[in-house]
Amino acid sequence: MSVARRPGSYVCGIDAAMDVIGGKWKVLILWALDACPSSRFGELRRLVPGVTEKVLTSHLRELEQDGIVHREVYEEVPPRVEYSLTPLGTSLNAALVPLGVWGREHVLEG
């Protein structure tokens, strides 16, 4: 599955990837879903402190549209919704690991 939000307007692969994960919260949402698979909305809010409900909802919808996050609705009373990474989301998280290592080595320890 490929993700294309602005076909033909990307300068390079990094530009395309940043279109998917851009912003302050998306990479933290991806990290949270990797750390705690099959998370409910409230769990994600706790794992990503500072994010508002509106922003979290918006980013989850965008990540779902991009095929990065899967939203599972359970027909229960009360309704239950869980979010998890798709295989594409897992591969995106794997691509972000070296960036996290760089940040720990050069920014956090610096």
Side-chain angles (χ1 to χ4, degrees):
M1 173 191 298
S2 67
V3 176
R5 296 172 86 184
R6 300 180 296 160
S9 63
Y10 296 117
V11 175
C12 64
I14 292 174
D15 183 25
M18 290 306 296
D19 189 38
V20 174
I21 62 168
K24 179 178 180 179
W25 302 108
K26 285 187 181 176
V27 291
L28 296 176
I29 294 167
L30 291 173
W31 169 83
L33 286 171
D34 189 55
C36 187
S38 296
S39 297
R40 296 175 75 174
F41 187 85
E43 292 171 308
L44 289 173
R45 282 226 39 218
R46 285 186 292 279
L47 289 169
V48 184
V51 69
T52 65
E53 284 187 27
K54 180 180 177 182
V55 170
L56 181 57
T57 298
S58 169
H59 285 341
L60 285 169
R61 284 185 184 144
E62 289 175 15
L63 290 167
E64 185 182 7
Q65 288 172 348
D66 289 334
I68 305 297
V69 168
H70 173 71
R71 181 177 186 263
E72 182 74 31
V73 179
Y74 294 91
E75 299 298 326
E76 300 174 351
V77 177
R80 177 171 53 118
V81 177
E82 291 184 350
Y83 297 90
S84 60
L85 292 174
T86 64
L88 189 61
T90 301
S91 71
L92 177 57
N93 254 359
L96 292 171
V97 168
L99 186 60
V101 169
W102 185 91
R104 280 190 300 279
E105 290 176 357
H106 297 16
V107 178
L108 293 179
E109 293 178 5

